[in-house]
Amino acid sequence: MQQPPQIHVVIVGGGIVGLITAIGLLKRNVSVKIYEQARSFREIGAGVAFTANAMTCMEHLDPAIVEAVNAVATPNGEDAENPNDHLRFHDGYHWDPNDAENTDDKLLDLLHTGHKGFQGCNRAHLLDELVKLIPKHAVEFRKRLVSYHESGTARRIQLRFEDGSTAEADMIIGCDGNKSRVRQLILGEHNPAAFVHFSHKVAYRALVPMDRAEPVLGHFKAHNQHMHAGPDAHILHFPVTNHTLLNVVAFVTETDDWPLEDANGPRNMTADATREDLREAFRAWGPTVRSIVDLLPENLSKWAIFDAYDHPAPTYVRGRLCIAATRPRLISSPRARGIGVEDALALCTLIEMVVNTLSESSNPDSDTPALIEAALQVYDEVRMPRSQWLVKSSREACDIYEWKYPATKTDWGKCMAEITARSHKLWYFDIEGMLNDLRKGYSSRTSSLSEDAIGSNGLVTGEGKWEAVF
Ligand SMILES: *[C@@H]1O[C@H](CO)[C@@H](O)[C@H](O)[C@H]1NC(C)=O
Ligand SMILES: *[C@@H]1O[C@H](CO)[C@@H](O)[C@H](O)[C@H]1NC(C)=O
Ligand SMILES: *[C@@H]1O[C@H](CO)[C@@H](O)[C@H](O)[C@H]1NC(C)=O
Ligand SMILES: *[C@@H]1O[C@H](CO)[C@@H](O)[C@H](O)[C@H]1NC(C)=O
């Protein structure tokens, strides 16, 4: 008997979610290749943090991913065996100059983040660990996807890259970030939902050596995760790299627009900035927050934050293309990484089901496209509500921290109730429930397929069409 042809998956983008998805597929013996437009995996060093829920998803994907994270993760608080399970919220703004000692940076509340809370990692170190789990031949750099082509008769999709080279795939997963090409190919280049839009927030990020941070913040604050809230801005910091560095992120409102393109062509999502700009933004804040700003380097970058709030995508799927974790949102606490890992788990689970169905198919070559399309429809149905909620909730959470969300304003009791409810929805996600929904959805969609198509000849998946001009 002939071996069924292996499914070959292409992942566009070699960020953390792209790598994790690839590792999950390799673990399931699925052939996969990552195409990354940069020259290497190294990216700007910034901190990332995963929730306990994201760690559980990684365990399902491949326990080796959890080991990779643990190898570089820094627990909240100094006692690794008994980490601090809380993110602490402080009022960074109000203070009385006559009584600074008692009024500056008052603790507002503690948010319970689950056992071990967030695991803060240095992004570059994590990428290094993840890369070790991926064979060299499964990655190509300097490949920028331009277009793809499906024909009614050929089983595989053709991909075309900017350098003129081509590749083939049974399906394409876009993990290609804010300016996602795959998102444009799914939604159409003239659709505003195919692009992210400026949220009028910029983030300044820096890693500060702990031996400089500690004398300023005190031992406890420097080694535990903190959020300092106030009007129109907030600052978050957490220890990374085994407590040798403090990761600081300051979110500030920017009233000017930030188009993706201007008269000179595409605009960078980052721009040069200075500590002076940030001093200005936090001029009226309390001494603690201003001393954090003083710790930052003189020359900084600011990152424009783009999100999908203004134009939510109606779908994340088209035929055999989908996007994972390419739903940029305002990440204003170390909480948002989990959802891309959930996407990765959903996709790996569905692809495994397709492989299992194919192993029993008498005509795998012609069944593959329809099974993958069915699987991706299930992905869209199951993941869409949560993803869209996240985009909306992230923007609103930012307003809550900054005391301008209409339902909570400056009432910190109400703010905290909202933050807690939203955080718990994010963290205490029913992973088993998601996996069940995927299994049910897949079997109902594919059982109807099998009645009229699977096993018979010539399953037609649509007329050949060029999705974008080469
Ligand atoms: C982190 O630092 C502690 C204390 O200095 C040390 O015992 C431990 O081995 C370090 N861990 C890593 C992963 O470097
Ligand atoms: C964008 O950033 C790159 C790399 O940092 C730089 O070389 C380029 O000049 C920047 N472009 C603009 C328009 O600022
Ligand atoms: C910051 O940038 C300014 C202007 O480009 C330069 O003169 C200065 O030396 C830089 N400072 C540091 C610490 O690199
Ligand atoms: C993409 O957007 C997110 C949130 O807006 C931001 O944190 C991230 O740094 C951006 N990535 C790039 C490569 O610009």
Side-chain angles (χ1 to χ4, degrees), residues 78-294:
E78 278 193 294
D79 181 355
E81 298 307 311
N82 188 20
N84 181 352
D85 294 344
H86 293 90
L87 174 65
R88 302 167 75 90
F89 284 83
H90 286 251
D91 178 347
Y93 184 75
H94 294 106
W95 65 294
D96 175 356
N98 299 317
D99 185 14
E101 205 177 318
N102 291 314
T103 56
D104 175 42
D105 208 42
K106 262 175 94 165
L107 178 66
L108 293 166
D109 219 326
L110 305 176
L111 179 63
H112 187 249
T113 51
H115 178 57
K116 286 183 128 185
F118 304 111
Q119 311 251 29
C121 308
N122 179 313
R123 183 187 172 87
H125 295 173
L126 178 59
L127 286 168
D128 287 347
E129 287 298 315
L130 293 175
V131 166
K132 291 181 193 160
L133 301 172
I134 298 176
K136 279 212 163 53
H137 63 79
V139 186
E140 272 192 59
F141 293 104
R142 306 176 83 160
K143 292 286 176 190
R144 188 190 291 269
L145 178 66
V146 175
S147 58
Y148 75 103
H149 173 230
E150 270 183 291
S151 90
T153 48
R155 168 179 150 185
R156 287 192 164 157
I157 304 167
Q158 303 282 323
L159 291 82
R160 190 160 188 114
F161 300 98
E162 200 175 56
D163 63 4
S165 62
T166 58
E168 284 193 335
D170 285 305
M171 67 177 283
I172 301 171
I173 303 175
C175 300
D176 47 346
N178 295 336
K179 295 185 189 172
S180 169
R181 181 64 184 151
V182 178
R183 188 179 173 105
Q184 293 163 23
L185 293 172
I186 288 173
L187 294 168
E189 286 167 38
H190 300 292
N191 186 343
F195 299 90
V196 290
H197 301 267
F198 187 40
S199 67
H200 287 281
K201 278 277 158 196
V202 290
Y204 295 75
R205 311 183 196 192
L207 294 166
V208 177
M210 195 55 95
D211 57 8
R212 290 190 52 229
E214 217 178 287
V216 171
L217 281 175
H219 190 86
F220 183 84
K221 262 187 197 162
H223 290 280
N224 289 269
Q225 299 169 353
H226 284 79
M227 168 81 87
H228 308 266
D232 281 327
H234 58 284
I235 283 196
L236 172 76
H237 58 78
F238 53 95
V240 294
T241 320
N242 203 18
H243 289 272
T244 59
L245 293 170
L246 185 73
N247 185 57
V248 179
V249 194
F251 293 87
V252 175
T253 302
E254 178 127 332
T255 41
D256 291 347
D257 208 6
W258 193 307
L260 277 176
E261 301 215 352
D262 61 18
N264 303 321
R267 267 196 65 178
N268 284 341
M269 288 173 142
T270 60
D272 291 340
T274 63
R275 182 175 58 207
E276 257 340 283
D277 302 339
L278 214 46
R279 283 197 175 125
E280 185 54 31
F282 288 99
R283 195 170 34 84
W285 288 53
T288 297
V289 165
R290 284 185 282 125
S291 70
I292 296 171
V293 171
D294 288 341

Side-chain angles (χ1 to χ4, degrees), residues 337-359:
R337 290 285 161 179
I339 203 143
V341 185
E342 292 167 22
D343 286 345
L345 178 59
L347 285 168
C348 289
T349 304
L350 285 162
I351 293 166
E352 189 174 24
M353 289 191 269
V354 170
V355 170
N356 288 340
T357 312
L358 285 174
S359 70

Side-chain angles (χ1 to χ4, degrees), residues 397-469:
C398 184
D399 286 349
I400 297 167
Y401 302 145
E402 301 183 358
W403 303 337
K404 59 185 176 209
Y405 186 60
T408 52
K409 291 268 175 53
T410 55
D411 181 333
W412 193 253
K414 285 186 184 165
C415 288
M416 209 58 207
E418 270 290 329
I419 292 168
T420 306
R422 287 160 192 264
S423 302
H424 286 184
K425 178 163 175 174
L426 196 60
W427 302 334
Y428 301 117
F429 175 59
D430 179 6
I431 297 169
E432 288 303 327
M434 173 184 85
L435 295 176
N436 276 333
D437 290 346
L438 294 172
R439 285 185 204 109
K440 267 189 269 173
Y442 180 80
S443 73
S444 84
R445 281 195 178 260
T446 53
S447 67
S448 68
L449 261 185
S450 65
E451 278 157 27
D452 42 78
I454 301 291
S456 72
N457 277 326
L459 182 62
V460 178
T461 60
E463 294 299 306
K465 49 189 187 282
W466 292 88
E467 293 301 344
V469 182

Side-chain angles (χ1 to χ4, degrees), residues 357-402:
T357 312
L358 285 174
S359 70
E360 287 165 13
S361 161
S362 56
N363 207 341
D365 241 342
S366 62
D367 291 348
T368 302
L371 286 171
I372 290 174
E373 284 188 18
L376 289 184
Q377 287 301 318
V378 176
Y379 170 72
D380 211 26
E381 276 161 23
V382 171
R383 297 297 300 160
M384 175 65 83
R386 185 163 162 83
S387 299
Q388 290 203 331
W389 168 79
L390 182 71
V391 171
K392 190 163 172 288
S393 184
S394 302
R395 181 79 81 93
E396 289 165 356
C398 184
D399 286 349
I400 297 167
Y401 302 145
E402 301 183 358

